[in-house]
Amino acid sequence: MKSKNLFGFLINPFTRIAGWQAFGIGLLCVVVMGVLGSFGGVAYDGVIDMHLMHLSLEKSLLFLGIDVAFLVLVMWITAMIVSKTYRFIDILGTMTLAKAPLIVLAIAGFFTTTPDMKAIYSDPYVIFSSVSFVVFMVLTMPIIVWNIALMYNALKVSCDVKGSKLTIAFIVALFVAEVLSKIVLYVIA
Amino acid sequence: MYICAINYRIMLPTNCPSCHEQLQVKCLKCEHCGTEVNGSYTLPLLAQLSEDDQQFILRFIKSSGSLKEMSAHMKLSYPTVRNLLNDVIKKIERYEK
């Protein structure tokens, strides 16, 4: 029962934490993630995107800032369309905190050796020569799923929307946020 | 030897255990003289709600309608308490129809 409660909390902490409190914790996680990502060679170049790439500390934080800003902006517009009862601070806080699981990948970046990209293009099986890279790839999947589940629950709790309306709104919003953040990051970088 | 202590709390049933339809009041009794009144009375709107919903409304009134205070008391986030309130409002609106 206890582990079930813990799992529930990890998937949806927003029933207990939201608003300014969530924003504070989320912002701290995002800053730590940006610093670790910069030194660990993990770049968050999109709302649900990340790549093994070395960025300067400023760029790493800027990329994450753009990710969070576009995620919040698009989810806020979505809330205006689908919900009557929402607060901007809840969307800002919960969406920022939803980024927290990605910190695991920033830490994993320190222990990952990236194979030579040219070698991968000529022979994709080269990636299996680096065990740490394979482990990183395998780890990426559940972390991204966790991140998406958190964003989904963030919208659900912040906007009081349920069922197919929530699912469709979330998928469209996430897609739009990802595309917009990619365009802006491409222009900046 | 085991001693079991069970605390029974008698609650007013609001829905039929068989078909889940809303129950009606059939009999009222004066505890003082024993007079019984039989009929078919609809439950008051608030009594039609579940016990959890009634507790929620009581807490809402006691906290002077402050969702912030309620969220602190219930150890839930503000939007979660607001969503619970929205659910109760929806139920009341459904019963009013």
Side-chain angles (χ1 to χ4, degrees), chain A residues 14-16 157-158 160 162, chain B residues 75 77 80 82-83 86-87:
Chain A
F14 312 116
T15 53
R16 295 185 184 276
V157 172
S158 301
D160 194 21
K162 288 165 193 149
Chain B
K75 290 178 182 156
S77 68
T80 306
R82 190 202 54 215
N83 296 347
N86 286 345
D87 290 344

Side-chain angles (χ1 to χ4, degrees), chain A residues 57-177:
Chain A
L57 181 60
E58 295 82 19
K59 257 195 173 174
S60 180
L61 291 171
L62 177 70
F63 274 35
L64 266 169
I66 289 167
D67 291 350
V68 174
F70 274 93
L71 178 65
V72 172
L73 179 71
V74 174
M75 290 299 174
W76 183 36
I77 294 167
T78 307
M80 284 182 203
I81 298 165
V82 299
S83 174
K84 287 174 190 167
T85 53
Y86 66 89
R87 295 189 311 170
F88 175 72
I89 183 58
D90 289 326
I91 296 165
L92 176 69
T94 56
M95 288 298 165
T96 311
L97 186 57
K99 283 270 179 197
L102 298 177
I103 211 166
V104 176
L105 296 177
I107 296 164
F110 283 94
F111 308 99
T112 307
T113 315
T114 317
D116 182 36
M117 289 310 283
K118 282 178 188 169
I120 293 173
Y121 287 134
S122 57
D123 179 17
Y125 289 101
V126 167
I127 57 168
F128 294 109
S129 63
S130 169
V131 177
S132 62
F133 188 72
V134 174
V135 170
F136 185 86
M137 281 199 310
V138 171
L139 188 66
T140 305
M141 296 301 268
I143 296 294
I144 294 291
V145 169
W146 185 13
N147 177 221
I148 292 173
L150 282 175
M151 287 190 282
Y152 178 84
N153 284 323
L155 188 70
K156 185 181 169 185
V157 172
S158 301
C159 303
D160 194 21
V161 195
K162 288 165 193 149
S164 54
K165 191 178 174 184
L166 169 69
T167 309
I168 293 165
F170 176 74
I171 292 169
V172 173
L174 192 62
F175 179 74
V176 172

